[in-house]
Amino acid sequence: MPFPIVHGIVAASLFTASQRKISIGKDWKIMLLCAAMAILPDADFALEWIFYLRGAHRGFTHSIAFGVAAGLLASVLVGAKKFSHRLALVLAPTSHALLDVLVTSHQGEGIRLLWPLSDYGFKLGLFDYFHFRFDPRFDPWSEILIQVLKISLLESVIMGPLFILLIFLKLRKQNQNSLSA
């Protein structure tokens, strides 16, 4: 499962790619909201950690239906007027589930993408670059934190430069278009 940083970077990248023109000065709030929306599906960890509901993670909050509903609700709450902004807000939580499908192999029963229509758990395990499972009731929090930081750093080193490159290319193209017009 990717960690919050990579979910956020992918969502910000989706936002950037879905815009005709971007302005970091104007778009940073919606870009940050997309990143937060991509992390939202993991709120279901609270059900497992606080209420000890085993199997709650990767359930309904990881479904396409949840991604669409959460994205549309966020669009309404922030008053997103552009279709591309609304689309990015829907794609953000949906991208979370799809990324989790890519990296999930042995852990649990998979991602319930089609909930409420089906409880089938999808998993491809294409990029299973770490095995990370813990139980906060038994594992020391210091070990958990160190593992989370290591994995987050790895993901940032991989995805961060790609996001920066995407922004650079987008802005460069915009500048070339404005010079030729």
Side-chain angles (χ1 to χ4, degrees):
M1 84 184 167
F3 275 46
I5 291 174
V6 83
H7 283 302
I9 291 172
V10 167
S13 298
L14 286 170
F15 170 81
T16 302
S18 71
Q19 305 306 303
R20 268 204 181 121
K21 291 183 177 184
I22 62 163
S23 165
I24 303 301
K26 292 179 184 176
D27 293 331
W28 71 270
K29 288 180 185 176
I30 189 86
M31 198 180 292
L32 192 60
L33 179 59
C34 285
M37 291 298 295
I39 298 166
L40 178 65
D42 276 341
D44 62 5
F45 269 122
L47 297 174
E48 284 197 9
W49 292 353
I50 296 170
F51 302 108
Y52 303 114
L53 295 176
R54 300 302 283 171
H57 182 54
R58 298 180 175 168
F60 78 94
T61 62
H62 285 64
S63 69
I64 293 169
F66 177 85
V68 171
L72 291 175
L73 179 61
S75 295
V76 169
L77 291 175
V78 301
K81 295 187 181 11
K82 289 184 179 180
F83 174 77
S84 61
H85 288 188
R86 292 190 301 262
L87 177 63
L89 287 167
V90 167
L91 289 176
T94 307
S95 73
H96 180 113
L98 296 176
L99 280 175
D100 280 4
V101 166
L102 289 177
V103 301
T104 300
S105 61
H106 70 286
Q107 296 176 348
E109 299 174 12
I111 310 302
R112 284 162 187 76
L113 283 178
L114 300 179
W115 178 92
L117 303 175
S118 170
D119 276 336
Y120 180 78
F122 292 85
K123 54 185 173 180
L124 294 176
L126 297 179
F127 303 104
D128 191 14
Y129 53 93
F130 61 88
H131 302 284
F132 187 77
R133 188 71 177 162
F134 63 88
D135 188 329
R137 293 174 293 175
F138 305 110
D139 294 331
W141 281 100
S142 58
E143 281 185 36
I144 294 168
L145 181 61
I146 289 169
Q147 288 299 314
V148 167
L149 291 174
K150 283 181 182 178
I151 294 165
S152 295
L153 179 62
L154 173 66
E155 290 179 344
S156 298
V157 167
I158 294 168
M159 295 302 293
L162 294 174
F163 173 57
I164 292 167
L165 178 64
L166 176 63
I167 289 176
F168 171 77
L169 293 173
K170 191 76 144 181
L171 291 172
R172 186 172 149 205
K173 184 177 179 182
Q174 283 175 209
N175 289 337
Q176 288 174 344
N177 289 345
S178 66
L179 290 175
S180 65

